[in-house]
Amino acid sequence: MFRAFTHLATTVALAAAVAGCAPATGTVGDTVGDKVGDALRGVGRSSGPAVAAPSPASSPTPGTSQAPAEGTGPTAGPETAENVTVAENAKQGDPLWRANHQGGEHEIEGFADRVSVLPGEAFHLRVSTTADRYTATAFRMGWYGGAGARKVWESEKLPGTKQAPPRTIAATRTVTAAHWKPGPAVDTTGWPEGSYLIRLEATTGARRFVPLTVRSASTEGRLVVVNGVTTWQAYNLWGGRSLYLGPGGFEDRSTAVSFDRPYDTSGARLFLDLERAAIEVAEHSGVPLAYITNLELESDPHILDGARGLVSLGHDEYWSVRMRRTVEAARGRGVNLAFLGANAVYWRIRFASTPLGPNRLVVCHKDGRLDPSTDRWRVSEPESSLTGPMYNCFPAEAAYVVHSPDSWIFEGTGVRRGTSFPGLAGVETDEVLSGMPLPRPMEVLSVSPVDCSGRPTTAHSAYYTAPSGAGVFSTGTMRWVCAMRGSDCGHGVTDRTALFVRAATMNVLRAFATGPAGREHPARDNLASLGLGSPRRVIPGDRLQGRSSGHVRSRAGRHAWNRPAGHHRDRAARGRRW
């Protein structure tokens, strides 16, 4: 088992340089912008810090890749005595939070027996190490003046144990370490709500992370940041299997994956690559924030009651029916939605229990013939009715091209129609597709030509407003969050691109934090001018307007986005990275 995993991990690592976003593994570039951050520090941190936004005076000429120069952004969102985001980020950060040296493959690794906890609740770490002793240190991730994290707790030196090898459940090829012996309970009393990394450090110097969310009991009046843990687990190759790969390839993949095991590589790869930078920007914005994982969208249909908005981060691909209904109902009450990645709401999943608790098993067969409840959402209820643009390309490597420069989302960035940002469209992209259920009015913000492995297509960012007044923004590119790291993202992304992305994101966060954005910022429908959409109005949340799933399947031969699951979802075999 370990030998097979080593082979797969090596294959993935070798391909990291040629696909997707440069990995953030706790080494160079792990702070969002040792370079970009320098441009943002010192700007109004005490109350509603302003982002270093490009100045309108520096508008680039159309069609160029020049990003506007640094200036000041719009005023911050709502400030109240209860806004702990500002107070928390005024505290001293710790820039030495990284896991620079991971050591050998199994030198130290672990997982938590809870995905999320309320403040004051306890959890157990289950740790395996070849060292005689280790320590655990909890870091809350945020802005903290550019440090990126604050240390909130550190254990004493604990006795190290080399735990038993993982086991595989034959029926679903699920890898589990639920049989590992638990360590001492960790009390989270005094830990603020937020996204955490628990750094395990062996006495040999090896380090790995364990992610944990200290979730909010109430989201009322706040912007809700959602850690996409179901997608983290789908791509987790620890023990040799994920929902994409097994020792024998795609056909040998798991059909259910468990939270009862460590994450691969650094222990927090997808969080670092696709979420952490956006969390830093959100905390820098000064708006009141709440934190949950998408498991709470499954378990608590009222979790978004009273919330101002929801922020889906860099890659949020795996959604259950209850997760989607919770978010759709919130949108119907005026809760704004921001999708800061691409390929969101693609696979329909369901949950099951493990020996360590409920909802710790993510089930996804990726084959409707075996399990119709875990097929792609677009087979019966296309994700476009929620997200607007929908997944259409992997791999994508293209410039992001502005189409609607006068949108409020781009205010203060100085862009013009045709302004382009190299490398920002990738590694997966979304498109507004005619013939799919599309919420209206919808405003396309960017039109980026993409060569999708020889198939010409287009990537779109878009903003629509729902009848409730909710505003919904979709970036249409998985590289949006990665680009917040500037040139450390790779793929031609520049530090000036980071200023543009951060400024646009700040505009969205601050507007969404004040209430239903559509009331002050109604979308200006421009689909007809682009030859997109349909003249009829499609109410958000509607199904296929009478279309059968067979009709959608019959389109597979003409649309690459609807090919059989294995055709494009075996992309992990090519070492997909971000």
Side-chain angles (χ1 to χ4, degrees), residues 200-433:
L200 307 176
E201 183 169 3
T203 51
T204 59
R207 294 175 172 182
R208 291 288 207 292
F209 288 125
V210 175
L212 179 80
T213 301
V214 178
R215 68 181 186 271
S216 305
S218 171
T219 63
E220 185 174 0
R222 294 189 278 175
L223 202 61
V224 184
V225 176
V226 184
N227 292 130
V229 296
T230 56
T231 301
W232 300 357
Q233 199 55 249
Y235 286 95
N236 182 15
L237 263 172
W238 188 89
R241 281 189 169 91
S242 69
L243 288 181
Y244 294 87
L245 281 175
F250 180 75
E251 296 303 323
D252 197 27
R253 70 194 184 280
S254 298
T255 56
V257 287
S258 175
F259 287 100
D260 301 344
R261 59 175 178 157
Y263 287 101
D264 60 14
T265 62
S266 68
R269 174 169 60 91
L270 267 66
F271 173 79
L272 290 169
D273 287 355
L274 299 169
E275 298 196 4
R276 195 189 74 81
I279 287 171
E280 182 172 294
V281 170
E283 297 239 330
H284 190 200
S285 73
V287 304
L289 299 175
Y291 281 89
I292 62 173
T293 74
N294 48 21
L295 295 188
E296 281 71 62
L297 299 176
E298 164 75 14
S299 62
D300 184 357
H302 299 290
I303 190 64
L304 299 178
D305 288 0
R308 299 291 177 83
L310 176 147
V311 183
S312 167
L313 299 170
H315 194 34
D316 200 358
E317 184 176 356
Y318 287 79
W319 286 53
S320 70
V321 172
R322 286 183 180 177
M323 287 167 58
R324 183 164 177 174
R325 299 295 174 254
T326 297
V327 173
E328 289 172 336
R331 180 188 58 182
R333 298 190 301 270
V335 177
N336 305 302
L337 309 177
F339 294 95
L340 300 186
N343 190 212
V345 201
Y346 186 82
W347 285 110
R348 188 171 58 215
I349 60 173
R350 55 184 170 84
F351 292 94
S353 298
T354 76
L356 298 188
N359 295 341
R360 290 186 65 85
L361 192 70
V362 179
V363 182
C364 189
H365 284 75
K366 296 182 182 282
D367 188 337
R369 297 168 298 179
L370 299 176
D371 182 3
S373 70
T374 61
D375 206 338
R376 292 158 298 150
W377 272 103
R378 62 186 57 185
V379 169
S380 59
E381 192 175 351
E383 60 270 30
S384 57
S385 69
L386 178 61
T387 62
M390 61 195 295
Y391 168 73
N392 191 29
C393 179
F394 170 85
E397 291 289 336
Y400 180 97
V401 183
V402 173
H403 181 75
S404 300
D406 55 347
S407 167
W408 65 272
I409 293 173
F410 297 147
E411 183 178 353
T413 65
V415 296
R416 299 176 179 175
R417 179 172 290 188
T419 298
S420 64
F421 297 93
L424 182 52
V427 61
E428 292 183 350
T429 54
D430 295 347
E431 182 178 3
V432 176
L433 291 167

Side-chain angles (χ1 to χ4, degrees), residues 84-85 88 112 114-123 137-141 144 150 152-153 186-198 210-219 222-227 229 232 271 275 279 283 289-294 296 303:
V84 298
T85 305
E88 173 63 27
R114 304 281 297 276
V115 174
S116 68
V117 295
L118 292 169
E121 289 185 338
F123 66 94
T137 308
F139 296 93
R140 183 185 182 277
M141 313 311 292
Y144 299 108
R150 180 173 76 87
V152 301
W153 170 82
V186 179
D187 182 4
T188 64
T189 298
W191 295 22
E193 303 162 8
S195 293
Y196 283 77
L197 292 180
I198 315 298
V210 175
L212 179 80
T213 301
V214 178
R215 68 181 186 271
S216 305
S218 171
T219 63
R222 294 189 278 175
L223 202 61
V224 184
V225 176
V226 184
N227 292 130
V229 296
W232 300 357
F271 173 79
E275 298 196 4
I279 287 171
E283 297 239 330
L289 299 175
Y291 281 89
I292 62 173
T293 74
N294 48 21
E296 281 71 62
I303 190 64

